[in-house]
Amino acid sequence: MDDFDSAILISFDPTATTELKEKALAYCESVRISPVAWKFCLDRLFNTHILHVKFFCFQILQDLILHRYTTLSDEERALLKGALLKWLQEIPNRSEDGPIKNKYAQIMV
């Protein structure tokens, strides 16, 4: 587990101190506003089993698709589409929780 995973888990942890939670949220926000966050999150979707991390990454991708998709190059759009389709193809090889499947469906619609 790295700093990214830890920050996301802490941000959802009701027992975390206010100071720790604020630091975690600030870290998550810095990732979220990064121009390459979506590429990082695409990679992370294939390399984590942590529900909260997957959900956060899908939120980043959903925001990209809804608000900044037109700013992507044709190559970046192809990368995004290809990775999302690959993720769908790999679902039978792993079990995914309902919220993750729902978030994926929201992105694809």
Side-chain angles (χ1 to χ4, degrees):
M1 185 177 324
D2 63 9
D3 290 343
F4 178 70
D5 295 346
S6 296
I8 291 173
L9 291 175
I10 289 168
S11 70
F12 286 100
D13 184 356
T15 65
T17 65
T18 302
E19 180 182 351
L20 189 57
K21 193 170 265 200
E22 285 175 359
K23 286 180 183 179
L25 290 171
Y27 183 87
C28 291
E29 181 63 13
S30 72
V31 169
R32 190 187 69 75
I33 63 173
S34 167
V36 294
W38 69 273
K39 291 179 182 177
F40 173 79
C41 286
L42 271 183
D43 178 64
R44 189 51 63 109
L45 284 173
F46 290 95
N47 296 303
T48 187
H49 299 290
I50 302 171
L51 173 76
H52 293 86
V53 172
K54 289 179 187 179
F55 195 84
F56 180 88
C57 287
F58 274 127
Q59 285 181 308
I60 296 293
L61 296 175
Q62 184 177 29
D63 181 67
L64 172 73
I65 291 166
L66 291 174
H67 304 288
R68 295 178 289 136
Y69 188 76
T70 59
T71 66
L72 298 178
S73 68
D74 290 341
E75 183 179 293
E76 290 172 324
R77 290 177 187 180
L79 172 67
L80 177 61
K81 182 179 178 181
L84 289 172
L85 290 174
K86 180 180 177 188
W87 190 87
L88 177 63
Q89 291 168 343
E90 292 184 5
I91 284 180
N93 297 330
R94 63 182 187 274
S95 64
E96 291 293 348
D97 291 317
I100 299 302
K101 289 179 181 177
N102 289 340
K103 191 52 104 173
Y104 179 84
Q106 290 172 357
I107 287 173
M108 295 308 286
V109 171

